[in-house]
Amino acid sequence: MITCLMEINTAVILAGGRGTRFKELTDLIPKPMIEVAGKPILIHIINHYVSFGVQEIYILTGYKHEYVVNYFNKNYKKNNDGNFQFNDSVKIIIQDTGIKTMTGGRIGQFLDKVDVEDFFLTYGDGLSNVDLNKLEKQFIKNKTLAMVTAVRPPARFGSLDINGNMVSRFGEKKQVNSGWINGGFFVLNRKIREFIRDNSEVFEDYPLEQLAKKGSLTAYKHNGFWQCIDTIREKEIIESAIKNKEFILYE
C-alpha cells in the first residue's frame, strides 16, 4: 500500500453504462462488476484510489444499479449515514444517476449533490498503475479546470519491422509508440459543471472539446501500464499481465 497524503480526497467512478461491446457478460451484470483476477474491476479501481489515500469514493451507477448495491450489501457494512464503509477510513457512496444518463449527465448529477471543489474521476472499465500523487501535483501546478491522463493506445495487431521486403522482427506489441488517447483518470474542478448542459451530455464530446478550446484542459502523460476492458480478449490480456507480474494490482 502506498498511502500518501494528497489535497484531493474525493474520487468518482463512472459505472452506469450498458457495456454493449461486452454483451457476453453485461447482459447479466454491469461491466465494472466483471471479475478480473478474482475481484470486480470496480474493486480494483477503488483499491487504486485507496492506496493513494483517497477516503471518499462515489460510484455513479445506472444500468443494473441493484447489482452493484447488492454486492456492497453482501461484502461491506453500512455506516450511520447509510453509505458503505470500505475500510476504517474509506467511505463508498453509490449514486443512481439513471439508466439513460450519459457520462456528462452523471457527472453533472454528482456535482449538483456534492459540494466538492476538486476531485478525481475515472471510468469503471479500465485499470492502470498511474501515479495519482504525480497526477494531482501536475493538476495543481497547471491550474486548469480539467486534466486527463493520456496513454499510449494498445496495439490491436502483431507488429512487423521490415527492411526492404524482409521482415527483421515479428511480434505482439502491447502498446504503440506514437499518439496518445484518453486513458481516463481525470482530475476535475467543479466549474466543469458549466459545460454540462443536461443528462444526455456525453462528457467526451462537448464538455471536453470546449474545455480544450478554452485552454482549460491539460494532459498528464502516462507511459506505464494501462488497459481498458471492453472485450473477453482484453480481459484475458490484463489477467495475463497480472499473472506475469507486468501489472501489479493495488491492494
Side-chain angles (χ1 to χ4, degrees):
M1 179 176 285
I2 296 169
T3 309
C4 46
L5 296 176
M6 297 193 297
E7 294 185 29
I8 301 171
N9 198 36
T10 300
V12 175
I13 303 172
L14 296 169
R18 288 184 175 272
T20 54
R21 285 178 287 184
F22 211 150
K23 287 183 70 67
E24 302 97 321
L25 297 176
T26 55
D27 277 348
L28 301 174
I29 64 176
K31 187 162 63 166
M33 300 305 294
I34 293 171
E35 289 196 357
V36 167
K39 291 182 182 179
I41 301 167
L42 183 62
I43 299 302
H44 293 308
I45 296 170
I46 291 171
N47 280 333
H48 187 172
Y49 283 110
V50 170
S51 293
F52 282 87
V54 173
Q55 295 183 324
E56 187 175 66
I57 299 174
Y58 288 80
I59 303 171
L60 307 187
T61 60
Y63 177 66
K64 295 192 180 295
H65 161 80
E66 302 82 7
Y67 191 102
V68 180
V69 172
N70 290 340
Y71 177 88
F72 278 86
N73 272 324
K74 183 178 179 180
N75 293 282
Y76 299 94
K77 293 181 179 180
K78 282 189 175 180
N79 53 31
N80 293 334
D81 60 10
N83 296 307
F84 294 97
Q85 204 66 39
F86 190 74
N87 60 28
D88 290 342
S89 59
V90 178
K91 181 167 68 173
I92 304 292
I93 304 97
I94 301 175
Q95 185 176 335
D96 186 357
T97 51
I99 295 176
K100 295 182 179 180
T101 306
M102 304 305 287
T103 49
R106 297 188 198 284
I107 297 167
Q109 287 190 35
F110 161 75
L111 287 171
D112 289 344
K113 293 181 179 181
V114 181
D115 184 16
V116 61
E117 191 67 19
D118 298 317
F119 58 100
F120 293 105
L121 177 131
T122 197
Y123 306 104
D125 60 358
L127 296 177
S128 178
N129 59 4
V130 58
D131 188 323
L132 300 177
N133 191 35
K134 291 180 180 179
L135 176 64
E136 180 200 59
K137 286 180 179 178
Q138 187 167 321
F139 172 76
I140 292 171
K141 180 180 178 181
N142 288 354
K143 298 180 181 178
T144 55
L145 296 183
M147 171 168 283
V148 59
T149 297
V151 299
R152 299 294 193 184
R156 294 178 58 209
F157 307 102
S159 61
L160 300 174
D161 289 346
I162 302 174
N163 294 321
N165 63 350
M166 296 297 294
V167 176
S168 60
R169 193 191 67 82
F170 179 93
E172 292 286 341
K173 277 192 176 179
K174 300 260 188 331
Q175 290 178 309
V176 298
N177 292 320
S178 61
W180 298 92
I181 61 171
N182 169 18
F185 294 96
F186 296 87
V187 191
L188 304 170
N189 179 273
R190 71 172 298 104
K191 290 181 181 178
I192 64 157
R193 182 66 181 89
E194 301 168 12
F195 299 88
I196 299 170
R197 296 167 293 188
D198 53 40
N199 280 343
S200 66
E201 193 81 81
V202 177
F203 185 57
E204 299 75 20
D205 291 343
Y206 179 83
L208 287 179
E209 289 170 1
Q210 290 301 307
L211 285 163
K213 286 180 180 179
K214 293 179 181 295
S216 293
L217 176 63
T218 49
Y220 174 80
K221 293 179 179 179
H222 174 63
N223 285 294
F225 185 88
W226 177 87
Q227 179 65 57
C228 62
I229 307 165
D230 276 334
T231 63
I232 290 287
R233 172 59 178 153
E234 288 169 343
K235 180 178 182 294
E236 292 170 347
I237 288 171
I238 199 163
E239 288 184 326
S240 175
I242 293 166
K243 181 179 179 181
N244 295 327
K245 297 183 179 180
E246 297 167 358
F247 173 54
I248 307 299
L249 289 167
Y250 292 91
E251 300 291 346

